[in-house]
Amino acid sequence: MKFAQLSVLLMAMVIALIAVVEAKATQLVKFNKKVVGKSTWFNGHDLKAVACYGDLENNSHVNAGDGWHIGAVHMAFYKGGEKSACFECVKITSGRRSVVVRIIDDCAGCAPNQIDLTASAFKTLAPLSQGVVHTTYQFVRCPSKGSSLKWPKSPAPRSH
């Protein structure tokens, strides 16, 4: 019995490793180019130690807030990885509803063209019970002020 459990565990680890290795950097951060995709949501422990701050700002102690409008993408899909996608803003639209989020985390389980959102950002597009929403998105310049600014101000947005 233990051999069968070990075999299943080993097979799952091999499949997960293959999935990570097969992630190819094919996407570019292109401003104002609409992309068809989907969005999901995350909360709780997934908000802790967000990747962009830990890897690029050497501060692994930044925990995102449930009320922040932030997103996560699978950085391995982007040419330049974290350096190209981290701290950029994305306008996500579903039907007549839109939200602007700042990418500050990695979503290793996300597919290409998928953005994982905090619950507060997702609720702007659809009820949480929906789980997945079909969207279009485009990278945009980060707003510097206004009521829709719901993410940390540091680091300052890059100028493009």
Side-chain angles (χ1 to χ4, degrees), residues 15-45:
I15 291 170
L17 182 60
I18 289 170
V20 169
V21 170
E22 286 185 2
K24 293 188 171 118
T26 58
Q27 294 179 273
L28 295 171
V29 173
K30 288 187 178 179
F31 284 83
N32 299 312
K33 179 185 182 247
K34 287 189 179 180
V35 178
V36 175
K38 66 181 178 180
S39 289
T40 50
W41 63 275
F42 66 99
N43 66 358
H45 74 279

Side-chain angles (χ1 to χ4, degrees), residues 43-87:
N43 66 358
H45 74 279
D46 291 327
L47 296 168
K48 295 184 182 201
V50 292
C52 294
Y53 286 93
D55 296 344
L56 298 179
E57 298 290 311
N58 202 23
N59 183 357
S60 61
H61 302 291
V62 175
N63 297 324
D66 262 331
W68 292 3
H69 283 189
I70 58 169
V73 297
H74 191 359
M75 298 292 178
F77 290 129
Y78 286 86
K79 291 186 179 179
E82 292 172 334
K83 290 182 180 178
S84 68
C86 275
F87 306 117

Side-chain angles (χ1 to χ4, degrees), residues 62-116:
V62 175
N63 297 324
D66 262 331
W68 292 3
H69 283 189
I70 58 169
V73 297
H74 191 359
M75 298 292 178
F77 290 129
Y78 286 86
K79 291 186 179 179
E82 292 172 334
K83 290 182 180 178
S84 68
C86 275
F87 306 117
E88 297 295 353
C89 286
V90 180
K91 180 179 180 184
I92 304 165
T93 303
S94 178
R96 292 183 174 185
R97 297 176 175 209
S98 294
V99 64
V100 175
V101 302
R102 194 169 192 196
I103 302 298
I104 67 169
D105 206 1
D106 186 28
C107 176
C110 284
N113 302 331
Q114 178 182 351
I115 300 177
D116 206 18

